[in-house]
Amino acid sequence: MPTALRSGPYRFYFYSYDCKEPKHMHIDRDNLSTKYWLDPLALAENRGYTRKELREIEEIIKENVEALKNAWDTFCNNA
């Protein structure tokens, strides 16, 4: 499972078998997890994060969306 970004306590990653789905990232911290679609940016699922943390995560994604998409493309186009 490729890690695309680490920011503060958050790890942004995707699974190698995710390449057949639209671009997205899973974001974990401790035992919390969420999934965001990247294009367009939208919350796909949430397991335990507060609304405040989801807003923080969304801001991190917005600031790094091109790098996250590039990590996805680099991995999935070479898989």
Side-chain angles (χ1 to χ4, degrees):
M1 88 184 91
T3 297
L5 176 70
R6 288 188 185 272
S7 180
Y10 306 114
R11 182 171 82 107
F12 295 72
Y13 67 95
F14 55 94
Y15 294 97
S16 58
Y17 56 79
D18 282 351
C19 292
K20 294 178 182 169
E21 293 185 34
K23 292 177 190 173
H24 65 274
M25 288 288 148
H26 299 270
I27 302 96
D28 289 355
R29 174 183 70 79
D30 303 324
N31 63 341
L32 307 176
S33 186
T34 189
K35 176 180 174 179
Y36 272 89
W37 303 113
L38 296 179
D39 193 20
L41 182 59
L43 177 65
E45 63 185 53
N46 177 32
R47 295 193 176 132
Y49 283 108
T50 64
R51 289 181 189 181
K52 180 180 184 243
E53 278 190 294
L54 290 173
R55 285 191 300 271
E56 291 173 9
I57 291 167
E58 193 166 319
E59 283 304 311
I60 295 168
I61 293 172
K62 287 177 182 176
E63 293 169 2
N64 295 281
V65 70
E66 290 307 315
L68 296 172
K69 288 179 182 180
N70 287 340
W72 177 282
D73 290 340
T74 298
F75 182 86
C76 291
N77 291 338
N78 292 319

